[in-house]
Amino acid sequence: MAITFPWSKRNSHRDDPYWNFFINTPPADLGNTVTEMIRKAPEGNIFPAKTELHTPEITTSHVKGMAEYFGAALTGIARLDVNDGTNPEGLPFAVVCAVRAEYDPRKSPGIGGQVPVQNGLFVTFVLSAWIRELGFRATAAPQPGDEKLAAQARLGTLNSEGRLVTPQFGVNVYVANAIRTDLPLAPDG
Amino acid sequence: MSKAEILEEPEVEKNDGSEFPTPHLGRSVRIVGQHVNVDMNESPHPKNARGELGKPLFNWYRNTVSKDALTRVSAPNHFADRRQFLTNVINRSTSGKINPRRGAVDDPAAMTRHIKTVALYMGADVVGIAKAHPSYLYASGGGRYVQDGTAKDEYQNYTPEELARKFPYIIQATTAWDYNKLQAHRHHIGDAAYHVSQIKGVMVLKALEGYIKELGYTALRGVVTPQAAGVAGGIGELGRNGLVINKNFGARVHMPDPIMTDLPLLADEPVDIGVEDFCKICRKCANTCPTNSIPFGDKVVHNGIEKYKINWLTCYKLRPYVHDHWGSCLTCAAVCPFTKPNVWWHTMTVSLLHACPYFARPSLVRFLKWIDDRYWGMVRNNRVRWLGYDSGVKPGDQACTVAGCNASHEGKGQAVVGDAGYYAPLKENTNRFVKRDA
């Protein structure tokens, strides 16, 4: 039995015989995962009346505060290239949210290993729906290169594997789908 | 109970009264007589959805869109577009199948620890497991109750006894909402605290339901009355305000639709944290309820259950009148002396109440209530500012009070001066239109 102190890190799950199944066994039916339900959900309409905004700096702090309230550990704003072919709608900003990840979701396909993805989808679903309800375009559709955007938004730097390394949590973060939007924001980079 | 015992359980067994003895629900609720299971169609929201509570309530429920953007994405029924509301997305998705490769559970105690850890890992704040009893269930034939969704399965026509026999455990996992934002109740800030934690709870429970199915066991939804599961599962005691009061969070915990399952587990016991003794004396919620829906008197026996019976109809009837300003009242949750930040002095006080012998509790409660009245006041009207919201701005008025904002906000009203949040004197005003019972 391992010795634990009150200040030790929370349990390492070594005494839990089902933990490995929870983290590493991929689900037999994807219909049992919330991640699949949220991924398949279509995006809603943009509210017809635009909300009156504060200055871009204040709006940015509100977007970041809202993301943090929904569960994001780190949030940054990246400026997008509006003339880029990968950005056909010409949306100028990307809100990049990262959540804590004890296990790397790319290597842990179990429902437990995918919990960071689930938390990330929760943040991006609700946050992008909220921006649409403010009357602005916002899409959280998955696109490659979210980690580069996170590095661009100064959440951290990329390591040799292309993973985001942050000063706060090291590599133990998962970058959720970037929300591309035309809400006037003040980009971090 | 091991897996083998469950599988070998005799299928046909008549209920002669000894199979399901009257459950012990702690000191706050007692089953004292014949209990008739409630048809979920007779609960408030389904009644209202059929228009049985009158036009204003029907229109409020079905045909109104909130003025607040965050409420439109987080509150049931007041969205502009159903697709933006996460609960709707999750509860209307087709459920997955039960994994045919069922994992054996040799040690239910280890599985109980695991399921609780999993629920907390997914984001729940409190988890409790109750031993199933037919009286906790909705009446058979009435259908399932899942808000903004459906839950149909092959057990639809089972009686409560058959369900409790086949699925002996109920898992209630729930989220608590933010204390500081709750201080601005009767305001969109309070709504944000309530509704965002609610959609988070819906997601956590759905994920837990999926995980139980992946373990190879059944997980039923919409079968159990949530508060019965909460009290029986040791999440808290039932207070005068009709809310389950938890030792860490007080009344600020949701009671979502629990999971009924045949996964072998060990059930928790009901708790005693002194709610029974406190509610007898305190009456803060009854004094401050804007619609007088909370009783001042003693417990009554309703449908065979001894408890404080709130008047849900008068509570409900207020809602269309305040829809323009806020969504959820939350006064009874906010003023409850148990509703405090989850910090050491709160834990210490609740532990003290728990350890105090029964005869000395009234004196202790009077002392604690005196402290509560002195430091927290009768009703919370702190000024809370959060992401551009400001509870110092009167509901309905608009004013920008964000420090350093130099955007043009022409023709907007003024915020109140000072550190007081807006507190509508609803109690006096609602006397004009809320018809009271006796």
Side-chain angles (χ1 to χ4, degrees):
Chain A
M1 192 164 159
I3 300 168
T4 54
F5 298 100
W7 56 87
S8 302
K9 271 195 163 181
R10 275 188 61 216
N11 61 49
S12 59
H13 313 292
R14 264 178 298 186
D15 55 347
D16 187 341
Y18 308 102
W19 195 254
N20 186 40
F21 176 85
F22 178 56
I23 298 296
N24 291 322
T25 309
D29 183 354
L30 275 180
N32 281 326
T33 62
V34 169
T35 48
E36 195 65 14
M37 293 173 194
I38 303 179
R39 274 192 194 120
K40 283 200 298 205
E43 289 182 343
N45 291 329
I46 296 160
F47 196 69
K50 274 191 167 60
T51 300
E52 193 179 322
L53 294 176
H54 306 280
T55 60
E57 289 76 21
I58 290 168
T59 309
T60 304
S61 75
H62 290 175
V63 167
K64 287 183 180 177
M66 205 56 97
E68 188 191 331
Y69 182 51
F70 297 150
L74 302 164
T75 317
I77 316 287
R79 186 188 293 281
L80 296 175
D81 184 357
V82 289
N83 300 318
D84 191 354
T86 59
N87 188 5
E89 292 191 45
L91 297 171
F93 302 110
V95 182
V96 194
C97 303
V99 292
R100 297 286 302 275
E102 198 182 332
Y103 302 91
D104 183 0
R106 281 173 285 197
K107 292 173 189 159
S108 317
I111 287 182
Q114 296 297 307
V115 162
V117 182
Q118 183 174 311
N119 290 338
L121 281 167
F122 179 82
V123 175
T124 54
F125 181 95
V126 185
L127 192 65
S128 64
W130 176 67
I131 295 173
R132 289 193 293 273
E133 286 296 342
L134 291 176
F136 295 86
R137 285 190 289 167
T139 172
Q143 280 194 32
D146 288 340
E147 303 222 318
K148 272 187 196 154
L149 283 177
Q152 190 194 328
R154 300 189 183 174
L155 299 188
T157 49
L158 298 184
N159 67 8
S160 56
E161 294 172 15
R163 284 196 74 185
L164 185 72
V165 187
T166 64
Q168 293 90 343
F169 313 113
V171 290
N172 294 334
V173 288
Y174 166 75
V175 180
N177 299 337
I179 300 168
R180 288 158 167 83
T181 179
D182 64 353
L183 185 71
L185 294 169
D188 297 310
Chain B
M1 194 185 293
S2 74
K3 177 199 162 201
E5 275 168 6
I6 280 200
L7 294 177
E8 288 161 16
E9 201 176 47
E11 277 297 313
V12 185
E13 196 179 322
K14 285 285 168 219
N15 182 16
D16 58 358
S18 61
E19 187 188 0
F20 296 111
T22 307
H24 168 65
L25 288 172
R27 294 170 71 226
S28 60
V29 194
R30 283 196 306 148
I31 302 184
V32 293
Q34 185 63 37
H35 173 74
V36 180
N37 290 53
V38 180
D39 183 350
M40 76 89 190
N41 291 309
E42 295 304 313
S43 56
H45 290 311
K47 261 176 124 80
N48 196 13
R50 297 193 299 270
E52 290 171 19
L53 302 180
K55 269 188 185 173
L57 279 172
F58 179 79
N59 278 330
W60 163 77
Y61 192 67
R62 296 299 291 265
N63 304 330
T64 55
V65 171
S66 175
K67 286 182 177 173
D68 176 52
L70 184 58
T71 306
R72 289 198 294 269
V73 299
S74 61
N77 292 313
H78 305 297
F79 32 68
D81 182 345
R82 184 181 281 284
R83 291 171 295 184
Q84 319 259 44
F85 180 47
L86 189 69
T87 305
N88 172 67
V89 167
I90 287 176
N91 283 350
R92 282 178 185 245
S93 298
T94 43
S95 283
K97 292 187 181 59
I98 297 168
N99 191 348
R101 294 175 58 199
R102 170 187 280 206
V105 177
D106 304 321
D107 182 3
M111 182 47 94
T112 306
R113 282 197 300 276
H114 176 65
I115 280 291
K116 287 185 175 179
T117 312
V118 163
L120 298 175
Y121 193 78
M122 285 172 168
D125 290 312
V126 196
V127 203
I129 294 167
K131 182 97 181 76
H133 188 276
S135 61
Y136 306 160
L137 273 53
Y138 291 117
S140 61
R144 296 288 161 78
Y145 185 49
V146 179
Q147 204 163 11
D148 298 291
T150 52
K152 288 203 169 68
D153 52 57
E154 57 196 289
Y155 307 106
Q156 201 81 19
N157 293 319
Y158 273 43
T159 64
E161 285 78 17
E162 285 169 328
L163 281 175
R165 208 171 288 141
K166 196 164 173 58
F167 304 106
Y169 299 101
I170 299 165
I171 304 171
Q172 179 64 300
T174 183
T175 46
W177 61 91
D178 187 72
Y179 175 79
N180 292 322
K181 289 183 197 62
L182 176 64
Q183 303 312 299
H185 70 288
R186 298 193 202 164
H187 193 279
H188 284 137
I189 300 175
D191 290 347
Y194 182 78
H195 290 138
V196 172
S197 54
Q198 189 177 34
I199 52 175
K200 176 98 186 181
V202 165
M203 182 186 79
V204 169
L205 269 167
K206 191 72 178 180
L208 195 61
E209 177 194 337
Y211 180 60
I212 291 171
K213 287 181 175 172
E214 280 301 319
L215 285 170
Y217 294 86
T218 312
L220 298 188
R221 303 297 300 278
V223 201
V224 188
T225 49
Q227 290 190 315
V231 173
I235 284 183
E237 286 187 275
L238 194 70
R240 182 182 284 276
N241 49 15
L243 303 171
V244 173
I245 296 174
N246 176 260
K247 66 173 181 176
N248 293 333
F249 303 103
R252 57 186 176 99
V253 286
H254 293 280
M255 277 300 122
D257 172 28
I259 299 169
M260 196 173 189
T261 182
D262 52 358
L263 182 69
L265 296 168
L266 294 182
D268 293 313
E269 288 295 317
V271 289
D272 170 24
I273 54 166
V275 168
E276 162 74 8
D277 310 274
F278 220 107
C279 288
K280 238 180 219 167
I281 288 166
C282 167
R283 293 190 173 83
K284 263 185 125 159
C285 52
N287 278 317
T288 49
C289 173
T291 62
N292 292 344
S293 302
I294 299 172
F296 287 87
D298 288 336
K299 288 182 185 176
V300 293
V301 177
H302 176 76
N303 192 8
I305 295 171
E306 191 193 53
K307 61 174 183 177
Y308 293 108
K309 171 87 177 74
I310 66 158
N311 185 341
W312 64 265
L313 189 60
T314 50
C315 171
Y316 212 95
K317 273 187 175 171
L318 176 71
R319 300 174 191 198
Y321 297 95
V322 298
H323 173 77
D324 279 352
H325 310 312
W326 35 265
S328 300
C329 173
L330 303 174
T331 305
C332 55
V335 301
C336 179
F338 280 91
T339 305
K340 292 282 179 291
N342 183 17
V343 290
W344 66 269
W345 47 263
H346 183 242
T347 313
M348 191 181 75
T349 312
V350 177
S351 310
L352 187 68
L353 206 50
H354 169 75
C356 184
Y358 292 155
F359 75 87
R361 282 191 188 180
S363 316
L364 178 60
V365 165
R366 282 198 182 85
F367 173 64
L368 293 173
K369 166 115 191 319
W370 177 78
I371 296 178
D372 197 81
D373 285 343
R374 193 177 158 83
Y375 287 97
W376 283 276
M378 274 308 282
V379 75
R380 317 296 302 125
N381 60 349
N382 304 30
R383 186 162 186 174
V384 183
R385 296 168 202 243
W386 179 66
L387 305 185
Y389 294 93
D390 184 348
S391 72
V393 179
K394 199 172 160 184
D397 280 2
Q398 286 180 310
C400 173
T401 60
V402 179
C405 178
N406 52 17
S408 156
H409 300 287
E410 285 172 5
K412 291 294 161 69
Q414 290 294 309
V416 295
V417 183
D419 195 34
Y422 185 77
Y423 169 61
L426 274 171
K427 185 117 172 152
E428 295 75 23
N429 289 336
T430 46
N431 280 321
R432 292 184 287 122
F433 55 79
V434 176
K435 196 181 168 198
R436 313 212 182 277
D437 292 348

